[in-house]
């Protein structure tokens, strides 16, 4: 990877950007359906994302050693303390919100949390990300659950085109996540994880990514035609 400044490197490898992205992805749901923002839940999404992605990197450094050397992994190793701090901070904030708002009584909250933990932590030596060809789809399902299904459930938001909206978000996440498997080819081969990238190559990955992107855009257009998106939202999202 290109050389970046120490500060920028810390920002990139603290997973703050991913946590912000997941929060905005969820915020979009409230804006689209013109509903009051559930600020505690948005903070929960930010903190749980911060905790999970940093935990994922920390677990990976332990389980996947010796990792084939590259600049990206070297940068992750250099920022272990920062990642540990954000993991603990995110976990404590998420736990406080989870308990103080009685979300622990809602079964639906446990689905994405369980998916995230099983994706990262091995159960009987197997992580969900190790199941052949499925890790990208687990990521899409988790983001869809957090950013669409849960806010729909806890805030009783409208039913109009709900599943079409949810599938649009799932397809888009899959489309932009598939190419990351190209970056991780050597690491996935090292951990014996079969992905579309290391089994079928660059062309197939990009074809699958294009298919899911087109699916998301098809849903996007249908949401516009059914009145879920206005002209401004439709253009800005495109």
């Amino acid at each position: 990877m290109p050389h970046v400044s120490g500060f920028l490197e810390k920002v990139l490898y603290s997973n703050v950007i991913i946590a912000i992205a997941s929060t905005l992805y969820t915020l979009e749901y409230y804006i689209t359906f013109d509903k009051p923002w559930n600020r505690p839940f948005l903070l929960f999404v930010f903190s749980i994302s911060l905790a999970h992605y940093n935990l994922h990197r920390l677990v990976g450094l332990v389980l996947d050693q010796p990792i084939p050397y590259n600049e990206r992994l070297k940068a992750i190793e250099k920022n272990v303390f920062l990642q540990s701090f954000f993991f603990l901070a995110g976990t404590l904030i998420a736990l406080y919100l989870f308990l103080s708002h009685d979300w622990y009584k809602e079964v639906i909250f446990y689905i994405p949390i369980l998916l995230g933990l099983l994706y990262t932590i091995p159960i009987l030596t197997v992580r969900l990300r190790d199941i052949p060809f499925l890790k990208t789809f687990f990521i899409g399902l988790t983001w869809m659950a957090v950013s669409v299904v849960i806010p729909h459930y806890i805030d009783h938001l409208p039913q109009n085109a709900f599943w079409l909206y949810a599938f649009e978000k799932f397809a888009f996440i899959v489309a932009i996540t598939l190419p990351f498997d190209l970056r991780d080819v050597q690491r996935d081969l090292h951990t014996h994880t079969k992905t579309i990238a290391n089994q079928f190559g660059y062309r197939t990955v990009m074809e699958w990514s294009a298919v899911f992107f087109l699916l998301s855009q098809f849903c996007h257009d249908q949401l516009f035609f059914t009145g879920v998106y206005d002209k401004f939202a439709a253009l800005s999202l495109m």
Side-chain angles (χ1 to χ4, degrees), residues 4 17 25 31 37 57 74 77 86 94 96 100-101 109-110 113 116 122 134 148 153 176-177 179-180 207 211 221 238:
V4 294
I17 292 175
Y25 212 58
I31 294 174
W37 300 0
R57 283 189 172 161
K74 180 182 177 182
E77 288 181 322
F86 278 119
Y96 170 77
S100 63
H101 288 82
F109 266 84
Y110 293 93
I113 292 173
L134 292 183
V148 181
Y153 177 83
I176 65 172
T177 303
F180 280 92
E207 288 173 346
V211 166
D221 293 341
M238 287 179 69

Side-chain angles (χ1 to χ4, degrees), residues 30 35-38 41 150-157:
Y30 293 100
K35 293 294 178 180
W37 300 0
N38 188 330
F41 181 69
I150 292 181
H152 171 83
Y153 177 83
I154 63 175
D155 291 325
H156 307 291
L157 294 183

Side-chain angles (χ1 to χ4, degrees), residues 54-233:
N54 280 294
L55 174 65
H56 179 63
R57 283 189 172 161
L58 293 170
V59 170
L61 286 176
V62 173
L63 294 183
D64 300 338
Q65 292 285 9
I67 301 172
Y69 175 84
N70 64 48
E71 289 292 332
R72 174 175 168 268
L73 295 173
K74 180 182 177 182
I76 291 173
E77 288 181 322
K78 280 172 57 181
N79 290 285
V80 165
F81 176 79
L82 185 66
Q83 290 162 9
S84 300
F85 170 79
F86 278 119
F87 162 66
L88 289 172
T91 299
L92 290 174
I93 294 170
L95 187 61
Y96 170 77
L97 293 166
F98 190 64
L99 297 175
S100 63
H101 288 82
D102 291 340
W103 292 334
Y104 64 90
K105 298 177 181 178
E106 305 290 351
V107 175
I108 196 169
F109 266 84
Y110 293 93
I111 297 173
I113 292 173
L114 190 61
L115 278 175
L117 288 175
L118 292 177
Y119 180 86
T120 298
I121 300 173
I123 303 297
L124 300 177
T125 72
V126 176
R127 293 174 288 180
L128 289 183
R129 74 181 306 280
D130 298 327
I131 299 175
F133 311 116
L134 292 183
K135 75 173 191 175
T136 298
F137 302 104
F138 281 123
I139 294 171
L141 285 172
T142 303
W143 276 63
M144 183 188 77
V146 169
S147 64
V148 181
V149 178
I150 292 181
H152 171 83
Y153 177 83
I154 63 175
D155 291 325
H156 307 291
L157 294 183
Q159 291 284 347
N160 182 31
F162 168 72
W163 286 111
L164 184 64
Y165 182 88
F167 184 77
E168 180 207 14
K169 300 308 168 196
F170 166 77
F172 182 74
I173 289 296
V174 171
I176 65 172
T177 303
L178 275 166
F180 280 92
D181 286 345
L182 294 170
R183 179 199 63 188
D184 293 334
V185 163
Q186 293 302 318
R187 182 172 186 167
D188 287 331
L189 286 172
H190 171 73
T191 58
H192 307 292
T193 302
K194 291 182 179 180
T195 65
I196 296 170
N198 64 32
Q199 297 297 305
F200 300 104
Y202 174 87
R203 183 187 178 101
T204 300
V205 168
M206 300 314 292
E207 288 173 346
W208 278 59
S209 181
V211 166
F212 276 94
F213 181 74
L214 290 173
L215 283 172
S216 74
Q217 290 304 296
F218 173 77
C219 295
H220 178 103
D221 293 341
Q222 296 306 306
L223 289 164
F224 171 67
F225 292 133
T226 56
V228 174
Y229 289 149
D230 59 24
K231 290 181 180 180
F232 175 77

Side-chain angles (χ1 to χ4, degrees), residues 24-43:
L24 292 176
Y25 212 58
T26 308
L27 178 61
E28 183 191 326
Y29 187 75
Y30 293 100
I31 294 174
T32 297
F33 291 102
D34 194 26
K35 293 294 178 180
W37 300 0
N38 188 330
R39 287 177 172 78
F41 181 69
L42 291 171
L43 180 58

